[in-house]
Amino acid sequence: MLTWDDVARTCLALPDTTEVTSRGSRQWKVADKLFVWERPLRAKDLAELGAASQEWPIVAARVPDEGAKAALIAEEPERYFTTSHFDGYAAVLCRLDRLDQEDLTELAAEAWACRAPRRLLARGPLPPPG
């Protein structure tokens, strides 16, 4: 099972990425723009998802648009989901305990590309993280 250290290692392998902590949760940014973050579920989320969901470690990640979010959720609802808090927001929630390293690498790289400045994207393909 992946850990938050695996998430950190994967995200920090991407160019110009920094890690910060906000309200006790880890976040990864590129050019000071959030792209992946630890997202504990809040009371409203738990009311929507059910109390058992509080046991899941949740990673949130930016996606290109609402269509990409909907596609991930439709294809793998056991891994990817959302709550009403994220309605209209190009980000998806993921159960960290259901991701493997390949999924995490792909998710982080796509999220990074959604937020990276053009100068970084112009450098060409991303090196494989890790």
Side-chain angles (χ1 to χ4, degrees):
M1 183 167 102
L2 294 175
T3 66
W4 289 111
D5 288 338
D6 296 319
V7 176
R9 190 171 28 264
T10 301
C11 290
L12 291 170
L14 297 164
D16 291 359
T17 296
T18 58
E19 180 177 338
V20 298
T21 301
S22 177
R23 298 184 207 172
S25 295
R26 295 167 83 174
Q27 302 177 343
W28 294 272
K29 296 181 176 189
V30 58
D32 208 34
K33 293 182 180 179
L34 190 62
F35 70 96
V36 170
W37 64 101
E38 182 180 359
R39 176 47 165 80
L41 297 176
R42 299 180 179 129
K44 185 176 178 184
D45 302 325
L46 293 170
E48 288 178 31
L49 300 170
S53 58
Q54 74 186 44
E55 300 169 11
W56 308 336
I58 305 300
V59 61
R62 292 296 296 231
V63 292
D65 54 43
E66 288 268 346
K69 175 169 75 173
L72 281 171
I73 293 167
E75 289 173 20
E76 297 185 84
E78 71 285 351
R79 288 185 185 173
Y80 303 103
F81 65 100
T82 192
T83 65
S84 62
H85 179 81
F86 289 93
D87 287 351
Y89 189 65
V92 68
L93 300 174
C94 316
R95 287 185 58 172
L96 184 57
D97 64 330
R98 299 256 175 112
L99 295 177
D100 60 26
Q101 186 59 55
E102 184 178 336
D103 297 323
L104 176 60
T105 299
E106 184 178 331
L107 184 73
E110 183 172 293
W112 181 92
C114 290
R115 304 298 282 166
R118 289 184 190 150
R119 68 178 168 73
L120 285 178
L121 294 171
R123 290 184 188 170
L126 293 173

